[in-house]
Amino acid sequence: RFLMGSEIDINGAGKFDYPDEIIRKLDIAIASMHSSFLNSKDENTARAVSAVKNKYIDIIAHPTGVVFGNRAPYLIDIDRLIVAAARYNNALEINSYYLRMDLNEQNARKASKMGVKLSINTDSHRPNNMDMIRLGVDIARRAGLEKKDILNTLSLEELEEWKKQRISCIKD
């Protein structure tokens, strides 16, 4: 079975580029920030936390925004984001793209210890980028994560159950 998903932008005001009516139809919804990197730490953290609180968003992608050699991480309270992800049963991404490597193993370990599921993704824009998944697996291994900690190692039934539990913990 193929799952339908999308990466959804969290704009500078904390709004999504898709309405909830579309996002709720997705099997997996990933939210990430691609602009307004000069916002304050509080503004960026509020943007990410508001996405975590949205019952239709499943995963927060590249949570610190780092792009090695191009962009420093944006200001964000990663600990506050991890706490929110734990509270709302939202997953955080380990981005395997070699210029991102975001979350690092320290933050991945911290998230896992709080019960947050991690998703290992490649941020692939080309088929030959898929090989980078091993870099994310290496981060997960260094963080001491196990199969049960990684969202994309779950069976379809386990993934559907996780999503059902996740949605039920968020009040409208």
Side-chain angles (χ1 to χ4, degrees), residues 94-101 120-140:
I94 295 174
N95 188 302
S96 301
Y97 189 70
Y98 77 103
L99 293 177
R100 284 198 180 269
M101 307 297 284
I120 302 174
N121 298 325
T122 60
D123 207 357
S124 291
H125 295 260
R126 291 166 195 78
N128 64 349
N129 292 159
M130 294 298 289
D131 291 353
M132 290 187 223
I133 194 76
R134 65 182 170 76
L135 300 173
V137 171
D138 288 344
I139 291 172

Short mmCIF file of all heavy atoms in Angstrom, two decimals, residues 94-101 120-140:
data_model
loop_
_atom_site.label_atom_id
_atom_site.label_comp_id
_atom_site.label_asym_id
_atom_site.label_seq_id
_atom_site.Cartn_x
_atom_site.Cartn_y
_atom_site.Cartn_z
N ILE A 94 14.90 12.86 11.94
CA ILE A 94 16.35 12.82 11.76
C ILE A 94 16.53 12.95 10.25
O ILE A 94 16.19 12.05 9.50
CB ILE A 94 16.98 11.51 12.27
CG1 ILE A 94 16.80 11.38 13.78
CG2 ILE A 94 18.46 11.45 11.88
CD1 ILE A 94 17.26 10.03 14.33
N ASN A 95 17.02 14.09 9.82
CA ASN A 95 17.19 14.34 8.40
C ASN A 95 18.57 13.83 7.98
O ASN A 95 19.59 14.30 8.48
CB ASN A 95 17.06 15.85 8.13
CG ASN A 95 17.03 16.16 6.65
OD1 ASN A 95 17.96 15.82 5.93
ND2 ASN A 95 15.97 16.84 6.23
N SER A 96 18.59 12.88 7.08
CA SER A 96 19.82 12.19 6.68
C SER A 96 20.63 12.91 5.62
O SER A 96 21.75 12.48 5.32
CB SER A 96 19.47 10.81 6.12
OG SER A 96 18.80 10.04 7.06
N TYR A 97 20.07 13.95 5.03
CA TYR A 97 20.81 14.63 3.97
C TYR A 97 22.14 15.11 4.53
O TYR A 97 22.19 15.72 5.61
CB TYR A 97 19.99 15.80 3.41
CG TYR A 97 20.57 16.41 2.18
CD1 TYR A 97 20.57 15.71 0.97
CD2 TYR A 97 21.15 17.66 2.21
CE1 TYR A 97 21.12 16.27 -0.17
CE2 TYR A 97 21.70 18.22 1.08
CZ TYR A 97 21.69 17.52 -0.11
OH TYR A 97 22.25 18.08 -1.23
N TYR A 98 23.22 14.83 3.82
CA TYR A 98 24.56 15.04 4.37
C TYR A 98 24.86 16.48 4.76
O TYR A 98 25.73 16.73 5.59
CB TYR A 98 25.62 14.49 3.42
CG TYR A 98 25.92 15.35 2.22
CD1 TYR A 98 27.06 16.13 2.16
CD2 TYR A 98 25.04 15.39 1.13
CE1 TYR A 98 27.34 16.91 1.06
CE2 TYR A 98 25.31 16.17 0.03
CZ TYR A 98 26.46 16.94 0.00
OH TYR A 98 26.74 17.72 -1.09
N LEU A 99 24.14 17.46 4.21
CA LEU A 99 24.34 18.85 4.60
C LEU A 99 23.41 19.28 5.74
O LEU A 99 23.48 20.41 6.19
CB LEU A 99 24.14 19.77 3.39
CG LEU A 99 25.19 19.63 2.29
CD1 LEU A 99 24.85 20.54 1.11
CD2 LEU A 99 26.58 19.92 2.82
N ARG A 100 22.57 18.38 6.19
CA ARG A 100 21.64 18.71 7.28
C ARG A 100 21.99 17.92 8.56
O ARG A 100 22.28 18.50 9.57
CB ARG A 100 20.20 18.45 6.88
CG ARG A 100 19.64 19.52 5.96
CD ARG A 100 18.14 19.45 5.96
NE ARG A 100 17.52 20.42 5.11
CZ ARG A 100 17.15 21.62 5.51
NH1 ARG A 100 17.36 22.02 6.74
NH2 ARG A 100 16.55 22.45 4.68
N MET A 101 21.86 16.62 8.50
CA MET A 101 22.14 15.77 9.67
C MET A 101 21.46 16.35 10.91
O MET A 101 22.07 16.59 11.94
CB MET A 101 23.64 15.63 9.89
CG MET A 101 24.40 15.15 8.65
SD MET A 101 23.93 13.52 8.10
CE MET A 101 24.78 12.57 9.31
N ILE A 120 13.36 8.76 10.26
CA ILE A 120 14.61 8.94 9.51
C ILE A 120 14.23 9.17 8.05
O ILE A 120 13.67 8.31 7.39
CB ILE A 120 15.54 7.73 9.65
CG1 ILE A 120 15.86 7.47 11.12
CG2 ILE A 120 16.82 7.95 8.84
CD1 ILE A 120 16.67 6.21 11.36
N ASN A 121 14.56 10.37 7.56
CA ASN A 121 14.22 10.76 6.19
C ASN A 121 15.47 11.27 5.49
O ASN A 121 16.42 11.70 6.14
CB ASN A 121 13.14 11.84 6.19
CG ASN A 121 11.85 11.35 6.81
OD1 ASN A 121 11.49 10.19 6.65
ND2 ASN A 121 11.16 12.22 7.53
N THR A 122 15.44 11.25 4.18
CA THR A 122 16.62 11.65 3.40
C THR A 122 16.55 13.06 2.84
O THR A 122 17.55 13.54 2.32
CB THR A 122 16.84 10.68 2.23
OG1 THR A 122 15.68 10.72 1.39
CG2 THR A 122 17.11 9.27 2.71
N ASP A 123 15.39 13.70 2.90
CA ASP A 123 15.22 15.02 2.28
C ASP A 123 15.58 14.95 0.80
O ASP A 123 16.13 15.88 0.22
CB ASP A 123 16.07 16.07 2.99
CG ASP A 123 15.50 17.48 2.88
OD1 ASP A 123 14.47 17.67 2.20
OD2 ASP A 123 16.09 18.40 3.47
N SER A 124 15.28 13.81 0.19
CA SER A 124 15.68 13.56 -1.20
C SER A 124 14.89 14.40 -2.18
O SER A 124 13.67 14.45 -2.13
CB SER A 124 15.48 12.08 -1.55
OG SER A 124 16.40 11.30 -0.85
N HIS A 125 15.61 15.00 -3.07
CA HIS A 125 15.02 15.71 -4.19
C HIS A 125 15.41 15.03 -5.51
O HIS A 125 14.96 15.44 -6.57
CB HIS A 125 15.44 17.18 -4.19
CG HIS A 125 14.93 17.92 -2.99
ND1 HIS A 125 13.81 18.72 -3.04
CD2 HIS A 125 15.35 17.95 -1.71
CE1 HIS A 125 13.58 19.23 -1.84
NE2 HIS A 125 14.51 18.78 -1.02
N ARG A 126 16.26 14.01 -5.39
CA ARG A 126 16.70 13.22 -6.54
C ARG A 126 16.85 11.77 -6.09
O ARG A 126 17.21 11.52 -4.94
CB ARG A 126 18.06 13.71 -7.03
CG ARG A 126 18.02 15.07 -7.67
CD ARG A 126 19.43 15.65 -7.82
NE ARG A 126 19.37 17.06 -8.09
CZ ARG A 126 19.14 18.01 -7.20
NH1 ARG A 126 18.94 17.72 -5.95
NH2 ARG A 126 19.10 19.28 -7.55
N PRO A 127 16.60 10.82 -6.99
CA PRO A 127 16.69 9.40 -6.61
C PRO A 127 18.05 9.01 -6.01
O PRO A 127 18.12 8.22 -5.08
CB PRO A 127 16.44 8.65 -7.92
CG PRO A 127 15.62 9.59 -8.75
CD PRO A 127 16.11 10.97 -8.38
N ASN A 128 19.14 9.61 -6.50
CA ASN A 128 20.46 9.21 -5.98
C ASN A 128 20.72 9.72 -4.56
O ASN A 128 21.71 9.35 -3.95
CB ASN A 128 21.58 9.63 -6.94
CG ASN A 128 21.72 11.13 -7.10
OD1 ASN A 128 20.86 11.90 -6.67
ND2 ASN A 128 22.79 11.55 -7.74
N ASN A 129 19.82 10.56 -4.01
CA ASN A 129 19.96 11.01 -2.61
C ASN A 129 19.44 9.98 -1.62
O ASN A 129 19.70 10.09 -0.43
CB ASN A 129 19.21 12.31 -2.37
CG ASN A 129 19.79 13.51 -3.07
OD1 ASN A 129 19.12 14.50 -3.28
ND2 ASN A 129 21.06 13.45 -3.44
N MET A 130 18.71 8.98 -2.10
CA MET A 130 18.12 7.99 -1.20
C MET A 130 19.18 7.21 -0.42
O MET A 130 18.91 6.74 0.68
CB MET A 130 17.21 7.03 -1.97
CG MET A 130 15.97 7.70 -2.56
SD MET A 130 14.87 8.40 -1.32
CE MET A 130 14.22 6.89 -0.62
N ASP A 131 20.38 7.08 -0.98
CA ASP A 131 21.46 6.36 -0.29
C ASP A 131 21.82 7.01 1.04
O ASP A 131 22.42 6.37 1.90
CB ASP A 131 22.72 6.32 -1.16
CG ASP A 131 22.56 5.43 -2.37
OD1 ASP A 131 21.53 4.74 -2.48
OD2 ASP A 131 23.48 5.43 -3.22
N MET A 132 21.50 8.27 1.20
CA MET A 132 21.87 8.98 2.42
C MET A 132 21.12 8.49 3.65
O MET A 132 21.44 8.89 4.76
CB MET A 132 21.68 10.48 2.23
CG MET A 132 22.69 11.07 1.28
SD MET A 132 22.56 12.84 1.23
CE MET A 132 22.68 13.10 -0.52
N ILE A 133 20.13 7.64 3.47
CA ILE A 133 19.39 7.11 4.62
C ILE A 133 20.34 6.50 5.64
O ILE A 133 20.11 6.59 6.84
CB ILE A 133 18.30 6.09 4.17
CG1 ILE A 133 17.31 5.82 5.30
CG2 ILE A 133 18.91 4.80 3.68
CD1 ILE A 133 16.32 6.90 5.54
N ARG A 134 21.45 5.93 5.16
CA ARG A 134 22.41 5.31 6.09
C ARG A 134 23.01 6.32 7.05
O ARG A 134 23.35 5.98 8.18
CB ARG A 134 23.49 4.56 5.31
CG ARG A 134 24.36 5.43 4.48
CD ARG A 134 25.41 4.64 3.67
NE ARG A 134 26.07 5.51 2.72
CZ ARG A 134 27.01 6.39 3.03
NH1 ARG A 134 27.44 6.51 4.27
NH2 ARG A 134 27.53 7.16 2.10
N LEU A 135 23.12 7.58 6.64
CA LEU A 135 23.65 8.61 7.53
C LEU A 135 22.69 8.86 8.69
O LEU A 135 23.11 9.05 9.84
CB LEU A 135 23.91 9.90 6.75
CG LEU A 135 24.91 9.79 5.59
CD1 LEU A 135 24.96 11.09 4.81
CD2 LEU A 135 26.28 9.38 6.09
N GLY A 136 21.38 8.86 8.41
CA GLY A 136 20.39 9.00 9.47
C GLY A 136 20.36 7.79 10.38
O GLY A 136 20.19 7.92 11.60
N VAL A 137 20.52 6.61 9.79
CA VAL A 137 20.58 5.39 10.60
C VAL A 137 21.79 5.45 11.52
O VAL A 137 21.71 5.08 12.70
CB VAL A 137 20.61 4.13 9.70
CG1 VAL A 137 20.90 2.87 10.51
CG2 VAL A 137 19.29 4.00 8.94
N ASP A 138 22.91 5.97 11.03
CA ASP A 138 24.11 6.13 11.88
C ASP A 138 23.84 7.07 13.05
O ASP A 138 24.29 6.82 14.18
CB ASP A 138 25.29 6.65 11.06
CG ASP A 138 25.86 5.61 10.10
OD1 ASP A 138 25.56 4.41 10.26
OD2 ASP A 138 26.61 6.01 9.19
N ILE A 139 23.13 8.17 12.81
CA ILE A 139 22.77 9.08 13.90
C ILE A 139 21.92 8.35 14.93
O ILE A 139 22.17 8.44 16.13
CB ILE A 139 22.03 10.33 13.37
CG1 ILE A 139 22.97 11.23 12.56
CG2 ILE A 139 21.40 11.13 14.52
CD1 ILE A 139 22.27 12.37 11.84
N ALA A 140 20.92 7.61 14.45
CA ALA A 140 20.05 6.87 15.37
C ALA A 140 20.84 5.85 16.17
O ALA A 140 20.61 5.70 17.39
CB ALA A 140 18.93 6.18 14.58
#
